[in-house]
Amino acid sequence: MEYGIGDDRLGGAKMGFLDSNVLVKIVDSFKTDYKVRLSNNHYAYVAKPSVVLIAKLANTPVAHNPHLSGTIRVYGDTASDYVMLALDDRYPYRSLQLLDPSRVAVDVFGVTSNTNWITQLHTAKEIRNTWYEQIEDDVFRVYIQLKHPQHWGHSISYDSIGRHLLVRIRRQPASLDIRKLRIAIDAGHGGDNSGASGVTSKVLEKNYTLLIAEQLRKTLKTAGVKQLFMVRTIDTSLSMPERIAMLKQFDPHLLISIHLNSSANDTVQGTSTYYRYIGFRPLSMAILEKMLTLGLKEYGNVGAFNFSLSGPTDYPNALVEVAFLSNLQDEKKILNPKFHKAVAQKIYLGIVDFLQGAPEATRPKVRN
């Protein structure tokens, strides 16, 4: 779902992703998108190929009598915690990462509360508390408070019969030793998507992202990381949905995506890191701090970044734009294999700093 019909080279600003067979009401059509009504006051835009048209229904999320929420159950299994909300159909939703304290908020559109029962079991290890708020007449918000300040990821889907909305909360790893984590590395571009090119050398971004990504893999392996996944190891064409599906199967604790920047202005140079969700910013900041020790200029830490691989909420991720191929000084560095090793080492150290800085569980304040 997108907020509007605005667009840039990465697409429109995204509200979030939905499970399949979610009920929405189409109210307008704009070229490649349908405008859908989520609730009385909320709209979104969905790509037409993602929508299946059905007969008109009186039973819609925006009917005069909004549908009712049911019970909430909070529990855990051996790997994750879950919040299960009973509903009578599949309604659209969005999620937000909140800080201080760390929480996940899930808005369910077209639903009014009839929730009078929230069961919270001790099997939930990361969820401290769960409650709800009717923020609008037909927007039902569930708050999920976490024990750790750092967000480690969440995902949302409906069960097989479509009567329960299930929010999976990833727990902070039992050990923050980098050697015990699953780390994914994405070499940007590839195949028929060559990316940027060098200002003098004309080298292609897709080739050098792969070289740096492979060096990062070697650096992490040498550091003792056993569970590593390279999205691509050769020059091959992979769509963003294909990459995301591969990452979903690997289920990493962290994702690092490697890119090289470019600008029409050849004086622009420097290194930068990117994130989309505020709960994942600490990883990108830790890596940027280390990258700056290479003597590169700072291009910045960029949030709300509308890149497809930054879209999943399932795991912390950071995109690293190492330097500018369009700048003479940066290009010279990029062409040097010693620089690839130095970059890989700094990204590794940035991940270590991120893990070391992940705070322990916050304790609730108790009034004597």
Side-chain angles (χ1 to χ4, degrees):
M1 297 188 297
E2 296 182 350
Y3 283 104
I5 58 175
D7 213 352
D8 64 15
R9 66 185 182 86
L10 295 176
K14 295 179 179 62
M15 182 183 298
F17 299 88
L18 293 178
D19 197 359
S20 58
N21 297 318
V22 171
L23 189 64
V24 293
K25 181 178 181 180
I26 296 172
V27 296
D28 211 337
S29 175
F30 293 88
K31 296 182 179 179
T32 60
D33 294 332
Y34 286 122
K35 181 179 181 179
V36 299
R37 190 175 188 180
L38 305 175
S39 66
N40 286 330
N41 298 316
H42 293 269
Y43 298 85
Y45 294 80
V46 181
K48 289 180 178 178
S50 300
V51 177
V52 175
L53 301 179
I54 58 177
K56 291 184 178 180
L57 297 175
N59 181 30
T60 68
V62 292
H64 292 298
N65 296 313
H67 297 288
L68 302 178
S69 67
T71 60
I72 294 176
R73 182 177 176 85
V74 182
Y75 62 96
D77 59 18
T78 57
S80 304
D81 288 357
Y82 300 88
V83 174
M84 186 171 64
L85 169 64
L87 296 167
D88 64 351
D89 210 331
R90 293 177 177 239
Y91 300 115
Y93 53 82
R94 69 174 174 188
S95 66
L96 304 167
Q97 290 179 342
L98 304 174
L99 304 178
D100 301 324
S102 54
R103 289 156 292 156
V104 174
V106 179
D107 291 338
V108 187
F109 296 103
V111 172
T112 298
S113 175
N114 192 38
T115 298
N116 303 302
W117 196 281
I118 302 177
T119 301
Q120 304 187 61
L121 301 180
H122 276 87
T123 52
K125 306 300 183 184
E126 179 60 37
I127 297 174
R128 184 184 297 284
N129 197 4
T130 301
W131 67 97
Y132 72 84
E133 180 183 5
Q134 192 73 47
I135 60 173
E136 296 178 22
D137 288 347
D138 55 354
V139 181
F140 181 80
R141 173 171 289 184
V142 179
Y143 289 101
I144 305 167
Q145 185 178 358
L146 309 179
K147 289 184 179 179
H148 293 89
Q150 174 60 48
H151 285 259
W152 285 94
H154 70 275
S155 58
I156 307 176
S157 61
Y158 280 97
D159 66 0
S160 58
I161 60 172
R163 295 297 183 267
H164 294 96
L165 185 66
L166 196 63
V167 184
R168 176 199 178 203
I169 300 293
R170 164 164 269 164
R171 295 172 185 158
Q172 179 161 300
S175 171
L176 295 180
D177 184 338
I178 191 172
R179 296 172 297 180
K180 298 181 180 180
L181 300 187
R182 296 186 302 278
I183 299 178
I185 304 168
D186 170 65
H189 305 280
D192 55 13
N193 183 355
S194 60
S197 60
V199 65
T200 60
S201 64
K202 305 304 178 184
V203 299
L204 300 178
E205 180 182 0
K206 66 174 184 176
N207 296 328
Y208 277 73
T209 58
L210 186 56
L211 290 173
I212 296 171
E214 173 59 21
Q215 187 58 57
L216 178 58
R217 184 195 67 81
K218 291 178 180 178
T219 299
L220 292 173
K221 184 178 179 181
T222 300
V225 181
K226 295 181 175 58
Q227 299 184 77
L228 289 164
F229 175 70
M230 292 277 286
V231 173
R232 69 179 181 96
T233 58
I234 59 173
D235 182 21
T236 185
S237 297
L238 287 172
S239 68
M240 288 302 171
E242 287 174 325
R243 292 174 192 243
I244 291 171
M246 294 164 68
L247 289 165
K248 186 177 182 65
Q249 184 174 6
F250 179 66
D251 194 24
H253 291 106
L254 302 172
L255 164 66
I256 306 297
S257 187
I258 305 295
H259 283 253
L260 298 171
N261 222 332
S262 184
S263 172
N265 182 349
D266 62 9
T267 65
V268 176
Q269 63 183 123
T271 189
S272 51
T273 57
Y274 299 73
Y275 67 95
R276 180 170 174 190
Y277 305 109
I278 190 64
F280 298 158
R281 183 175 187 242
L283 175 62
S284 66
M285 281 297 297
I287 293 173
L288 179 61
E289 292 293 335
K290 290 300 182 182
M291 289 292 292
L292 291 174
T293 66
L294 291 171
L296 295 162
K297 288 189 176 181
E298 181 181 5
Y299 191 67
N301 179 242
V302 181
F305 186 55
N306 192 27
F307 177 59
S308 292
L309 293 195
S310 303
T313 58
D314 304 65
Y315 38 79
N317 56 80
L319 183 144
V320 183
E321 291 276 9
V322 175
F324 278 79
L325 271 171
S326 54
N327 176 268
L328 286 172
Q329 290 79 19
D330 278 7
E331 180 193 35
K332 184 177 179 180
K333 292 183 175 71
I334 291 167
L335 295 176
N336 188 344
K338 291 183 179 179
F339 180 69
H340 305 168
K341 292 182 180 180
V343 167
Q345 181 69 10
K346 296 306 180 182
I347 294 175
Y348 157 66
L349 292 175
I351 297 172
V352 171
D353 279 0
F354 162 73
L355 294 172
Q356 291 177 345
E360 295 299 319
T362 55
R363 298 183 181 278
K365 295 179 179 179
V366 178
R367 182 175 296 174
N368 293 327

